[in-house]
Amino acid sequence: MSAALPGRPAIGPKVPINFPTGLLRDIDAGASLAGLSRAAWVRRAAARALPEIFDGVLTPDDMFRFLDTAAKGADPAHEVDDATARRLLTAADDGTLVIQPFTTETLSTETARLSFITRTFIADGATVTLYQVAHGTTYRQPGEDDLARHGQHSLYLDHAAARAWHQAMRENLALATRHCEGPRS
């Protein structure tokens, strides 16, 4: 006869990780603010940092919404031009537009999320690669009954220009986060 082990059932294999003292203190503060255990907070943070994967055919409405909601890039010489947008929309109309798996680097805070996304489309057999810098905030708007997601994304054909904009947005997010947190004691 075997007795059941006390405690909660295992979520998965245990992975011992050593953290610097300051980082562990920050993790504990973040977990406390989120109302989570340290382990649950670390699992959530790790899951958010993983690349997103999507594979399939986009409809014309999906492609139009994606292009239509994009902000113009910071450098007009490198943003997605009208000819590329028309090519992608035409391929979507023909049912030949396919998005390959894309990768995302994401930085999240309690109220904001910044992502660098590389999307590769196959339009009529040719490859089109777009670089997307997405910035979103999650907060309750006055008059809204539930949480709303608000954000924008900038599209680029040029990798270096997209990276430069992403870095500028990262710096802005870091400044805003430090401003909201106030001085540390």
Side-chain angles (χ1 to χ4, degrees), residues 48 52 106-115 117 134-141 144 146-152:
R48 285 182 174 174
E52 299 176 53
T106 300
L107 173 66
S108 296
T109 67
E110 275 188 55
T111 58
R113 187 173 189 153
L114 176 66
S115 299
I117 302 169
H135 180 258
T137 55
T138 305
Y139 52 90
R140 191 179 301 271
Q141 291 287 316
E144 286 182 339
D146 33 21
L147 291 176
R149 182 130 185 112
H150 305 274
Q152 65 179 10

PDB file of all heavy atoms in Angstrom, residues 48 52 106-115 117 134-141 144 146-152:
ATOM      1  N   ARG A  48       6.179  34.002 -21.427  1.00  0.00           N
ATOM      2  CA  ARG A  48       6.034  35.243 -22.206  1.00  0.00           C
ATOM      3  C   ARG A  48       7.259  35.545 -23.049  1.00  0.00           C
ATOM      4  O   ARG A  48       7.164  36.223 -24.058  1.00  0.00           O
ATOM      5  CB  ARG A  48       5.756  36.421 -21.278  1.00  0.00           C
ATOM      6  CG  ARG A  48       4.365  36.439 -20.738  1.00  0.00           C
ATOM      7  CD  ARG A  48       4.152  37.650 -19.874  1.00  0.00           C
ATOM      8  NE  ARG A  48       2.762  37.750 -19.466  1.00  0.00           N
ATOM      9  CZ  ARG A  48       2.318  38.645 -18.609  1.00  0.00           C
ATOM     10  NH1 ARG A  48       3.156  39.515 -18.071  1.00  0.00           N
ATOM     11  NH2 ARG A  48       1.062  38.678 -18.291  1.00  0.00           N
ATOM     12  N   GLU A  52       6.658  33.425 -30.430  1.00  0.00           N
ATOM     13  CA  GLU A  52       5.316  33.032 -30.839  1.00  0.00           C
ATOM     14  C   GLU A  52       5.421  32.310 -32.176  1.00  0.00           C
ATOM     15  O   GLU A  52       6.264  32.635 -32.994  1.00  0.00           O
ATOM     16  CB  GLU A  52       4.422  34.261 -31.002  1.00  0.00           C
ATOM     17  CG  GLU A  52       4.261  35.051 -29.722  1.00  0.00           C
ATOM     18  CD  GLU A  52       3.463  36.314 -29.942  1.00  0.00           C
ATOM     19  OE1 GLU A  52       2.354  36.240 -30.491  1.00  0.00           O
ATOM     20  OE2 GLU A  52       3.966  37.372 -29.572  1.00  0.00           O
ATOM     21  N   THR A 106      10.027  39.473 -26.866  1.00  0.00           N
ATOM     22  CA  THR A 106       9.072  40.285 -26.133  1.00  0.00           C
ATOM     23  C   THR A 106       9.646  40.703 -24.786  1.00  0.00           C
ATOM     24  O   THR A 106      10.254  39.904 -24.086  1.00  0.00           O
ATOM     25  CB  THR A 106       7.759  39.505 -25.911  1.00  0.00           C
ATOM     26  OG1 THR A 106       7.220  39.164 -27.184  1.00  0.00           O
ATOM     27  CG2 THR A 106       6.749  40.331 -25.153  1.00  0.00           C
ATOM     28  N   LEU A 107       9.429  41.973 -24.462  1.00  0.00           N
ATOM     29  CA  LEU A 107       9.772  42.523 -23.164  1.00  0.00           C
ATOM     30  C   LEU A 107       8.463  42.974 -22.539  1.00  0.00           C
ATOM     31  O   LEU A 107       7.726  43.753 -23.136  1.00  0.00           O
ATOM     32  CB  LEU A 107      10.723  43.719 -23.349  1.00  0.00           C
ATOM     33  CG  LEU A 107      11.074  44.525 -22.113  1.00  0.00           C
ATOM     34  CD1 LEU A 107      11.894  43.676 -21.148  1.00  0.00           C
ATOM     35  CD2 LEU A 107      11.854  45.773 -22.502  1.00  0.00           C
ATOM     36  N   SER A 108       8.133  42.458 -21.357  1.00  0.00           N
ATOM     37  CA  SER A 108       6.866  42.782 -20.709  1.00  0.00           C
ATOM     38  C   SER A 108       7.091  43.408 -19.347  1.00  0.00           C
ATOM     39  O   SER A 108       7.992  43.012 -18.619  1.00  0.00           O
ATOM     40  CB  SER A 108       6.010  41.525 -20.513  1.00  0.00           C
ATOM     41  OG  SER A 108       5.646  40.987 -21.745  1.00  0.00           O
ATOM     42  N   THR A 109       6.242  44.378 -19.033  1.00  0.00           N
ATOM     43  CA  THR A 109       6.175  44.923 -17.685  1.00  0.00           C
ATOM     44  C   THR A 109       4.737  44.698 -17.223  1.00  0.00           C
ATOM     45  O   THR A 109       3.949  44.074 -17.936  1.00  0.00           O
ATOM     46  CB  THR A 109       6.505  46.431 -17.661  1.00  0.00           C
ATOM     47  OG1 THR A 109       5.477  47.136 -18.340  1.00  0.00           O
ATOM     48  CG2 THR A 109       7.850  46.714 -18.299  1.00  0.00           C
ATOM     49  N   GLU A 110       4.382  45.237 -16.065  1.00  0.00           N
ATOM     50  CA  GLU A 110       3.009  45.062 -15.580  1.00  0.00           C
ATOM     51  C   GLU A 110       1.989  45.707 -16.505  1.00  0.00           C
ATOM     52  O   GLU A 110       0.876  45.243 -16.640  1.00  0.00           O
ATOM     53  CB  GLU A 110       2.867  45.669 -14.188  1.00  0.00           C
ATOM     54  CG  GLU A 110       3.275  44.736 -13.090  1.00  0.00           C
ATOM     55  CD  GLU A 110       2.932  45.309 -11.743  1.00  0.00           C
ATOM     56  OE1 GLU A 110       1.757  45.651 -11.523  1.00  0.00           O
ATOM     57  OE2 GLU A 110       3.854  45.411 -10.930  1.00  0.00           O
ATOM     58  N   THR A 111       2.368  46.823 -17.142  1.00  0.00           N
ATOM     59  CA  THR A 111       1.388  47.581 -17.926  1.00  0.00           C
ATOM     60  C   THR A 111       1.723  47.676 -19.411  1.00  0.00           C
ATOM     61  O   THR A 111       0.934  48.224 -20.166  1.00  0.00           O
ATOM     62  CB  THR A 111       1.265  49.018 -17.387  1.00  0.00           C
ATOM     63  OG1 THR A 111       2.555  49.640 -17.439  1.00  0.00           O
ATOM     64  CG2 THR A 111       0.737  49.018 -15.964  1.00  0.00           C
ATOM     65  N   ALA A 112       2.864  47.179 -19.839  1.00  0.00           N
ATOM     66  CA  ALA A 112       3.252  47.355 -21.240  1.00  0.00           C
ATOM     67  C   ALA A 112       3.957  46.116 -21.773  1.00  0.00           C
ATOM     68  O   ALA A 112       4.494  45.309 -21.018  1.00  0.00           O
ATOM     69  CB  ALA A 112       4.158  48.570 -21.383  1.00  0.00           C
ATOM     70  N   ARG A 113       3.938  46.018 -23.098  1.00  0.00           N
ATOM     71  CA  ARG A 113       4.606  44.915 -23.769  1.00  0.00           C
ATOM     72  C   ARG A 113       5.202  45.442 -25.065  1.00  0.00           C
ATOM     73  O   ARG A 113       4.530  46.136 -25.824  1.00  0.00           O
ATOM     74  CB  ARG A 113       3.591  43.808 -24.061  1.00  0.00           C
ATOM     75  CG  ARG A 113       4.201  42.560 -24.593  1.00  0.00           C
ATOM     76  CD  ARG A 113       3.147  41.482 -24.688  1.00  0.00           C
ATOM     77  NE  ARG A 113       3.778  40.228 -24.993  1.00  0.00           N
ATOM     78  CZ  ARG A 113       3.308  39.063 -24.663  1.00  0.00           C
ATOM     79  NH1 ARG A 113       2.182  38.977 -24.008  1.00  0.00           N
ATOM     80  NH2 ARG A 113       3.937  37.971 -24.989  1.00  0.00           N
ATOM     81  N   LEU A 114       6.466  45.119 -25.312  1.00  0.00           N
ATOM     82  CA  LEU A 114       7.164  45.541 -26.527  1.00  0.00           C
ATOM     83  C   LEU A 114       7.697  44.302 -27.223  1.00  0.00           C
ATOM     84  O   LEU A 114       8.335  43.464 -26.590  1.00  0.00           O
ATOM     85  CB  LEU A 114       8.313  46.491 -26.162  1.00  0.00           C
ATOM     86  CG  LEU A 114       9.206  46.946 -27.311  1.00  0.00           C
ATOM     87  CD1 LEU A 114       8.424  47.815 -28.298  1.00  0.00           C
ATOM     88  CD2 LEU A 114      10.408  47.711 -26.771  1.00  0.00           C
ATOM     89  N   SER A 115       7.414  44.171 -28.517  1.00  0.00           N
ATOM     90  CA  SER A 115       7.839  42.985 -29.256  1.00  0.00           C
ATOM     91  C   SER A 115       8.547  43.367 -30.544  1.00  0.00           C
ATOM     92  O   SER A 115       8.209  44.365 -31.177  1.00  0.00           O
ATOM     93  CB  SER A 115       6.633  42.115 -29.625  1.00  0.00           C
ATOM     94  OG  SER A 115       5.959  41.673 -28.479  1.00  0.00           O
ATOM     95  N   ILE A 117       9.087  41.458 -34.065  1.00  0.00           N
ATOM     96  CA  ILE A 117       8.545  40.277 -34.744  1.00  0.00           C
ATOM     97  C   ILE A 117       9.067  40.233 -36.174  1.00  0.00           C
ATOM     98  O   ILE A 117       9.064  41.249 -36.871  1.00  0.00           O
ATOM     99  CB  ILE A 117       7.001  40.325 -34.760  1.00  0.00           C
ATOM    100  CG1 ILE A 117       6.480  40.413 -33.323  1.00  0.00           C
ATOM    101  CG2 ILE A 117       6.415  39.120 -35.492  1.00  0.00           C
ATOM    102  CD1 ILE A 117       5.003  40.730 -33.218  1.00  0.00           C
ATOM    103  N   ALA A 134       6.074  46.063 -32.228  1.00  0.00           N
ATOM    104  CA  ALA A 134       4.737  46.218 -31.650  1.00  0.00           C
ATOM    105  C   ALA A 134       4.855  46.686 -30.208  1.00  0.00           C
ATOM    106  O   ALA A 134       5.671  46.164 -29.446  1.00  0.00           O
ATOM    107  CB  ALA A 134       3.983  44.894 -31.714  1.00  0.00           C
ATOM    108  N   HIS A 135       4.041  47.662 -29.860  1.00  0.00           N
ATOM    109  CA  HIS A 135       4.024  48.186 -28.499  1.00  0.00           C
ATOM    110  C   HIS A 135       2.581  48.210 -28.034  1.00  0.00           C
ATOM    111  O   HIS A 135       1.718  48.761 -28.719  1.00  0.00           O
ATOM    112  CB  HIS A 135       4.620  49.601 -28.472  1.00  0.00           C
ATOM    113  CG  HIS A 135       4.632  50.196 -27.107  1.00  0.00           C
ATOM    114  ND1 HIS A 135       3.717  51.133 -26.704  1.00  0.00           N
ATOM    115  CD2 HIS A 135       5.439  49.978 -26.052  1.00  0.00           C
ATOM    116  CE1 HIS A 135       3.973  51.478 -25.446  1.00  0.00           C
ATOM    117  NE2 HIS A 135       5.011  50.782 -25.036  1.00  0.00           N
ATOM    118  N   GLY A 136       2.309  47.613 -26.911  1.00  0.00           N
ATOM    119  CA  GLY A 136       0.934  47.583 -26.409  1.00  0.00           C
ATOM    120  C   GLY A 136       0.889  47.833 -24.919  1.00  0.00           C
ATOM    121  O   GLY A 136       1.849  47.571 -24.204  1.00  0.00           O
ATOM    122  N   THR A 137      -0.232  48.357 -24.466  1.00  0.00           N
ATOM    123  CA  THR A 137      -0.455  48.538 -23.042  1.00  0.00           C
ATOM    124  C   THR A 137      -1.769  47.883 -22.673  1.00  0.00           C
ATOM    125  O   THR A 137      -2.688  47.809 -23.485  1.00  0.00           O
ATOM    126  CB  THR A 137      -0.511  50.027 -22.646  1.00  0.00           C
ATOM    127  OG1 THR A 137      -1.495  50.670 -23.449  1.00  0.00           O
ATOM    128  CG2 THR A 137       0.822  50.696 -22.855  1.00  0.00           C
ATOM    129  N   THR A 138      -1.835  47.377 -21.472  1.00  0.00           N
ATOM    130  CA  THR A 138      -3.057  46.757 -20.981  1.00  0.00           C
ATOM    131  C   THR A 138      -3.508  47.530 -19.761  1.00  0.00           C
ATOM    132  O   THR A 138      -2.805  47.574 -18.759  1.00  0.00           O
ATOM    133  CB  THR A 138      -2.803  45.290 -20.599  1.00  0.00           C
ATOM    134  OG1 THR A 138      -2.249  44.632 -21.727  1.00  0.00           O
ATOM    135  CG2 THR A 138      -4.094  44.596 -20.201  1.00  0.00           C
ATOM    136  N   TYR A 139      -4.645  48.165 -19.866  1.00  0.00           N
ATOM    137  CA  TYR A 139      -5.184  48.912 -18.744  1.00  0.00           C
ATOM    138  C   TYR A 139      -6.666  49.165 -18.977  1.00  0.00           C
ATOM    139  O   TYR A 139      -7.166  49.059 -20.090  1.00  0.00           O
ATOM    140  CB  TYR A 139      -4.455  50.249 -18.552  1.00  0.00           C
ATOM    141  CG  TYR A 139      -4.392  51.079 -19.804  1.00  0.00           C
ATOM    142  CD1 TYR A 139      -5.384  51.999 -20.112  1.00  0.00           C
ATOM    143  CD2 TYR A 139      -3.330  50.944 -20.693  1.00  0.00           C
ATOM    144  CE1 TYR A 139      -5.340  52.752 -21.267  1.00  0.00           C
ATOM    145  CE2 TYR A 139      -3.278  51.692 -21.850  1.00  0.00           C
ATOM    146  CZ  TYR A 139      -4.277  52.606 -22.128  1.00  0.00           C
ATOM    147  OH  TYR A 139      -4.222  53.344 -23.268  1.00  0.00           O
ATOM    148  N   ARG A 140      -7.364  49.515 -17.922  1.00  0.00           N
ATOM    149  CA  ARG A 140      -8.796  49.790 -18.013  1.00  0.00           C
ATOM    150  C   ARG A 140      -8.995  51.242 -18.419  1.00  0.00           C
ATOM    151  O   ARG A 140      -8.466  52.153 -17.812  1.00  0.00           O
ATOM    152  CB  ARG A 140      -9.463  49.523 -16.668  1.00  0.00           C
ATOM    153  CG  ARG A 140     -10.974  49.526 -16.737  1.00  0.00           C
ATOM    154  CD  ARG A 140     -11.571  49.231 -15.373  1.00  0.00           C
ATOM    155  NE  ARG A 140     -11.150  47.948 -14.831  1.00  0.00           N
ATOM    156  CZ  ARG A 140     -11.794  46.803 -15.062  1.00  0.00           C
ATOM    157  NH1 ARG A 140     -12.872  46.783 -15.787  1.00  0.00           N
ATOM    158  NH2 ARG A 140     -11.368  45.687 -14.537  1.00  0.00           N
ATOM    159  N   GLN A 141      -9.738  51.453 -19.489  1.00  0.00           N
ATOM    160  CA  GLN A 141     -10.079  52.790 -19.958  1.00  0.00           C
ATOM    161  C   GLN A 141     -11.290  53.307 -19.188  1.00  0.00           C
ATOM    162  O   GLN A 141     -12.141  52.522 -18.781  1.00  0.00           O
ATOM    163  CB  GLN A 141     -10.447  52.741 -21.455  1.00  0.00           C
ATOM    164  CG  GLN A 141      -9.277  52.451 -22.365  1.00  0.00           C
ATOM    165  CD  GLN A 141      -8.365  53.649 -22.468  1.00  0.00           C
ATOM    166  OE1 GLN A 141      -8.820  54.768 -22.622  1.00  0.00           O
ATOM    167  NE2 GLN A 141      -7.071  53.413 -22.366  1.00  0.00           N
ATOM    168  N   GLU A 144     -14.907  51.665 -19.645  1.00  0.00           N
ATOM    169  CA  GLU A 144     -14.848  50.284 -20.126  1.00  0.00           C
ATOM    170  C   GLU A 144     -15.190  49.332 -18.993  1.00  0.00           C
ATOM    171  O   GLU A 144     -14.806  49.559 -17.849  1.00  0.00           O
ATOM    172  CB  GLU A 144     -13.454  49.954 -20.665  1.00  0.00           C
ATOM    173  CG  GLU A 144     -13.182  50.596 -22.003  1.00  0.00           C
ATOM    174  CD  GLU A 144     -11.808  50.216 -22.539  1.00  0.00           C
ATOM    175  OE1 GLU A 144     -10.933  49.805 -21.749  1.00  0.00           O
ATOM    176  OE2 GLU A 144     -11.625  50.333 -23.737  1.00  0.00           O
ATOM    177  N   ASP A 146     -14.460  45.899 -19.110  1.00  0.00           N
ATOM    178  CA  ASP A 146     -13.408  44.915 -18.872  1.00  0.00           C
ATOM    179  C   ASP A 146     -12.101  45.415 -19.462  1.00  0.00           C
ATOM    180  O   ASP A 146     -12.050  46.424 -20.136  1.00  0.00           O
ATOM    181  CB  ASP A 146     -13.753  43.524 -19.433  1.00  0.00           C
ATOM    182  CG  ASP A 146     -14.574  43.540 -20.684  1.00  0.00           C
ATOM    183  OD1 ASP A 146     -14.585  44.565 -21.379  1.00  0.00           O
ATOM    184  OD2 ASP A 146     -15.197  42.531 -20.969  1.00  0.00           O
ATOM    185  N   LEU A 147     -11.041  44.655 -19.171  1.00  0.00           N
ATOM    186  CA  LEU A 147      -9.720  45.059 -19.630  1.00  0.00           C
ATOM    187  C   LEU A 147      -9.679  45.136 -21.147  1.00  0.00           C
ATOM    188  O   LEU A 147     -10.247  44.314 -21.854  1.00  0.00           O
ATOM    189  CB  LEU A 147      -8.659  44.071 -19.140  1.00  0.00           C
ATOM    190  CG  LEU A 147      -8.396  44.074 -17.642  1.00  0.00           C
ATOM    191  CD1 LEU A 147      -7.403  42.984 -17.296  1.00  0.00           C
ATOM    192  CD2 LEU A 147      -7.876  45.422 -17.193  1.00  0.00           C
ATOM    193  N   ALA A 148      -8.993  46.130 -21.635  1.00  0.00           N
ATOM    194  CA  ALA A 148      -8.843  46.297 -23.083  1.00  0.00           C
ATOM    195  C   ALA A 148      -7.358  46.275 -23.418  1.00  0.00           C
ATOM    196  O   ALA A 148      -6.527  46.667 -22.627  1.00  0.00           O
ATOM    197  CB  ALA A 148      -9.465  47.617 -23.516  1.00  0.00           C
ATOM    198  N   ARG A 149      -7.070  45.814 -24.599  1.00  0.00           N
ATOM    199  CA  ARG A 149      -5.678  45.779 -25.065  1.00  0.00           C
ATOM    200  C   ARG A 149      -5.527  46.892 -26.085  1.00  0.00           C
ATOM    201  O   ARG A 149      -6.272  46.975 -27.044  1.00  0.00           O
ATOM    202  CB  ARG A 149      -5.380  44.429 -25.696  1.00  0.00           C
ATOM    203  CG  ARG A 149      -3.962  44.348 -26.132  1.00  0.00           C
ATOM    204  CD  ARG A 149      -3.353  43.061 -25.604  1.00  0.00           C
ATOM    205  NE  ARG A 149      -1.978  43.062 -25.942  1.00  0.00           N
ATOM    206  CZ  ARG A 149      -1.013  43.159 -25.048  1.00  0.00           C
ATOM    207  NH1 ARG A 149      -1.302  43.241 -23.804  1.00  0.00           N
ATOM    208  NH2 ARG A 149       0.231  43.145 -25.412  1.00  0.00           N
ATOM    209  N   HIS A 150      -4.566  47.743 -25.880  1.00  0.00           N
ATOM    210  CA  HIS A 150      -4.343  48.875 -26.763  1.00  0.00           C
ATOM    211  C   HIS A 150      -2.901  48.836 -27.235  1.00  0.00           C
ATOM    212  O   HIS A 150      -2.000  48.602 -26.446  1.00  0.00           O
ATOM    213  CB  HIS A 150      -4.604  50.190 -26.013  1.00  0.00           C
ATOM    214  CG  HIS A 150      -5.972  50.227 -25.402  1.00  0.00           C
ATOM    215  ND1 HIS A 150      -7.077  50.633 -26.087  1.00  0.00           N
ATOM    216  CD2 HIS A 150      -6.405  49.862 -24.172  1.00  0.00           C
ATOM    217  CE1 HIS A 150      -8.128  50.539 -25.306  1.00  0.00           C
ATOM    218  NE2 HIS A 150      -7.753  50.064 -24.138  1.00  0.00           N
ATOM    219  N   GLY A 151      -2.692  49.099 -28.501  1.00  0.00           N
ATOM    220  CA  GLY A 151      -1.323  49.101 -28.993  1.00  0.00           C
ATOM    221  C   GLY A 151      -1.244  49.498 -30.445  1.00  0.00           C
ATOM    222  O   GLY A 151      -2.247  49.809 -31.083  1.00  0.00           O
ATOM    223  N   GLN A 152      -0.039  49.506 -30.925  1.00  0.00           N
ATOM    224  CA  GLN A 152       0.196  49.812 -32.330  1.00  0.00           C
ATOM    225  C   GLN A 152       1.422  49.034 -32.780  1.00  0.00           C
ATOM    226  O   GLN A 152       2.183  48.546 -31.960  1.00  0.00           O
ATOM    227  CB  GLN A 152       0.437  51.305 -32.529  1.00  0.00           C
ATOM    228  CG  GLN A 152       1.696  51.827 -31.877  1.00  0.00           C
ATOM    229  CD  GLN A 152       1.900  53.307 -32.128  1.00  0.00           C
ATOM    230  OE1 GLN A 152       1.031  53.996 -32.623  1.00  0.00           O
ATOM    231  NE2 GLN A 152       3.065  53.804 -31.770  1.00  0.00           N
TER     232      GLN A 152
END
